[in-house]
Amino acid sequence: MKFGGTSVGDVERIRRVARIVAAERKPGKGIAVVVSAMSGETDRLVKLARDAGGESANGPAAGGSGFDDEYDVIVSTGEQVTTGLLALALRQLGIPARSWQNWQIPVRSDAAHAKARIDSIDEKGELARSIDAGEVAVIPGFQGVTAEDRITTLGRGGSDTSAVAIAAALKADRCDIYTDVDGVYTTDPRIVPKARRLEKISYEEMLEMASLGAKVLQTRSVELAMAQRVPVRVLSSFVEPGEPNAGTIVCDEEEIVEKQIVSGVAYSRDEAKVSLIGVVDAPGVAADIFGRLADANINVDMIVQSQSRQEGKQNIVFTCPDRDAPRASDILHAAHEKIAFDELHIKRDVAKVSVIGIGMKSQVGVARTMFSALAAKGINIEVIATSEIKISVIIDSQYVELAVRALHTAYGLDAA
Ligand code: ADP
Ligand code: ASP
Ligand code: MG
């Protein structure tokens, strides 16, 4: 069972979490609970770490993650507090419980500070023995420890990944992600009141939804659940035990009987568009440009290459995380002589809106519906990218909400 930041936002909520855990306990069934930091706490810690210089202002240096190892020491502490509070709340209900920090288990990760990946979890150690003996294990999400015993964190939203990794290591029947919404919706219910809760969603669709911006689950947690075949359920923590709480099951495509053409709409505001105009049209140029960006750890997303009106020239447009845009600009300007472009434009107030659905694979006209719906609202499309089960467009960020709502309606997703 995993509980997110809002779900453990104050002591009263932690008491409710304890009641939910208590109701789940049955003879012969062990429970591990993964908790996030209390809401707002990680943001507060990140700010402290930044103010102290723990994150390099220019982002990642070549190869490294750009974060100081002490950054993780600071930001990982929020989760530790919650584990102690929940263990106490459980004991007050008469339930044997103890907290486990990740170094005590241990949950080993690589050393990419602030975005570490879990390598291994000791599934046969003290933790498993304690759970088998009937003790509820309360584990902080978001943390790991390197082979050198240094503390790491798994990236924002990383507690989801901790939960799935621990569920996989303990061979749990299920990983229940309790959060502040009662399931996965057709789109973010906070911006589209007509969004509907999905009964089921396939791993593939959930993976796309998460990586295209739906922050209800961290992308890596879905990857891991899919690879390890961990059944995941997303449900509300704001419901008292015994009240209806069906949530959403994330499962194999085969388990979904009615396949929707489009199951969901996702958006991400954290985008920038980089346009290189008048680049020499010759073999090796793209390799050079994107090689430089990759060396600097800049995650390039959509790429479009088109012919320029000028003979022997082309234009290359790509998107990257907004926070990396200034570095991308510096790198390209520094290589101006080699790449020989005429102009470089960076547009930072853009957003990506995507529609996702496994039914898309065998359906025609899905793109047309998207483009017509956006055109009807007068929204200009700047970049388009497609894969088997998604279509993404880049638009001006001021139209994100309008676009998401229009697409939600156009694909018949609105609740009655
Ligand atoms: P937690 O603190 O429990 O990890 P998060 O804030 O990380 O919770 O994720 C839950 C939030 O994700 C919801 O409050 C909702 O606004 C947002 N969200 C975005 N897209 C979706 C979606 N498709 N379905 C459900 N929630 C979504
Ligand atoms: N507390 C961490 C964060 O805010 C991890 C998590 O909540 O999943 O990103
Ligand atoms: Mg989260």
Side-chain angles (χ1 to χ4, degrees):
M1 304 172 78
K2 180 258 175 179
F3 294 87
T6 320
S7 310
V8 294
D10 57 38
V11 171
E12 214 25 72
R13 287 182 180 174
I14 291 174
R15 291 214 176 93
R16 179 169 47 207
V17 167
R19 291 195 292 277
I20 296 174
V21 173
E24 199 65 36
R25 267 185 105 227
K26 286 192 190 82
K29 179 163 150 186
I31 299 181
V33 185
V34 172
V35 288
S36 287
M38 296 164 86
S39 59
E41 183 60 11
T42 308
D43 288 342
R44 188 182 74 85
L45 295 166
V46 165
K47 185 171 181 307
L48 282 176
R50 279 194 182 142
D51 289 350
E55 180 198 13
S56 69
N58 301 320
S65 74
F67 289 87
D68 203 280
D69 47 356
E70 302 301 347
Y71 171 94
D72 283 344
V73 173
I74 301 161
V75 303
S76 64
T77 57
E79 285 34 38
Q80 174 163 340
V81 173
T82 319
T83 56
L85 291 171
L86 180 57
L88 286 178
L90 284 164
R91 286 179 190 172
Q92 273 169 11
L93 297 177
I95 293 172
R98 69 156 279 191
S99 63
W100 293 82
Q101 302 314 301
N102 283 270
W103 57 267
Q104 295 168 323
I105 298 176
V107 175
R108 293 279 174 212
S109 79
D110 62 20
H113 288 284
K115 51 175 177 184
R117 286 167 79 98
I118 295 175
D119 288 332
S120 68
I121 297 177
D122 181 5
E123 76 269 30
K124 293 217 170 57
E126 284 299 314
L127 172 69
R129 270 196 288 283
S130 154
I131 294 173
D132 287 345
E135 207 167 36
V136 173
V138 187
I139 303 165
F142 192 44
Q143 300 180 0
V145 61
T146 68
E148 286 75 40
D149 286 338
R150 296 296 288 161
I151 289 175
T152 55
T153 61
L154 310 179
R156 297 308 302 268
S159 294
D160 298 328
T161 302
S162 305
V164 172
I166 284 164
L170 295 173
K171 305 199 170 48
D173 301 332
R174 219 171 55 228
C175 179
D176 283 348
I177 309 267
Y178 287 82
T179 182
D180 57 4
V181 280
D182 64 349
V184 178
Y185 276 68
T186 46
T187 192
D188 188 346
R190 296 200 196 284
I191 72 161
V192 181
K194 285 184 178 162
R196 279 187 294 118
R197 179 171 58 82
L198 297 162
E199 295 279 317
K200 289 182 175 178
I201 185 168
S202 67
Y203 290 117
E204 288 81 359
E205 287 169 312
M206 192 63 239
L207 188 58
E208 291 283 6
M209 291 265 274
S211 68
L212 294 167
K215 71 162 184 168
V216 60
L217 291 176
Q218 197 198 33
T219 306
R220 178 82 189 114
S221 74
V222 187
E223 263 169 25
L224 205 59
M226 190 162 140
Q228 305 273 333
R229 285 318 202 234
V230 180
V232 170
R233 192 163 62 141
V234 178
L235 65 174
S236 171
S237 69
F238 291 167
V239 173
E240 286 295 336
E243 291 177 41
N245 198 1
T248 300
I249 313 254
V250 188
C251 59
D252 274 323
E253 189 179 327
E254 289 70 43
E255 289 173 48
I256 298 173
V257 188
E258 250 186 88
K259 294 190 178 51
Q260 302 294 321
I261 297 167
V262 166
S263 311
V265 183
Y267 66 94
S268 155
R269 289 195 167 91
D270 168 45
E271 309 286 331
K273 184 179 102 174
V274 182
S275 310
L276 278 166
I277 310 294
V279 184
V280 177
D281 196 3
V285 174
D288 185 27
I289 293 171
F290 294 107
R292 288 169 197 269
L293 296 168
D295 287 344
N297 242 322
I298 294 175
N299 199 352
V300 171
D301 180 21
M302 303 153 103
I303 303 173
V304 178
Q305 183 184 325
S306 61
Q307 216 56 50
S308 160
R309 244 172 290 168
Q310 253 176 294
E311 187 73 23
K313 296 261 183 139
Q314 57 172 332
N315 303 331
I316 293 180
V317 176
F318 63 89
T319 64
C320 69
D322 181 60
R323 117 182 245 282
D324 291 338
R327 280 193 310 124
S329 169
D330 291 349
I331 288 161
L332 295 171
H333 275 299
H336 190 195
E337 253 177 54
K338 182 85 195 308
I339 307 171
F341 51 86
D342 294 334
E343 293 163 44
L344 169 63
H345 302 289
I346 303 223
K347 193 168 169 195
R348 299 188 65 176
D349 46 359
V350 295
K352 180 167 62 183
V353 178
S354 312
V355 298
I356 297 116
I358 31 177
M360 221 181 261
K361 287 182 192 173
S362 55
Q363 198 73 27
V364 297
V366 185
R368 180 180 60 196
T369 304
M370 182 174 202
F371 304 152
S372 310
L374 295 174
K377 297 286 177 198
I379 300 169
N380 191 40
I381 300 171
E382 304 194 19
V383 186
I384 302 171
T386 64
S387 79
E388 239 191 346
I389 66 162
K390 69 126 202 270
I391 308 170
S392 299
V393 296
I394 291 289
I395 60 171
D396 202 309
S397 62
Q398 61 175 314
Y399 301 123
V400 178
E401 299 193 4
L402 181 64
V404 172
R405 289 200 192 103
L407 294 171
H408 200 264
T409 305
Y411 287 105
L413 297 174
D414 288 354

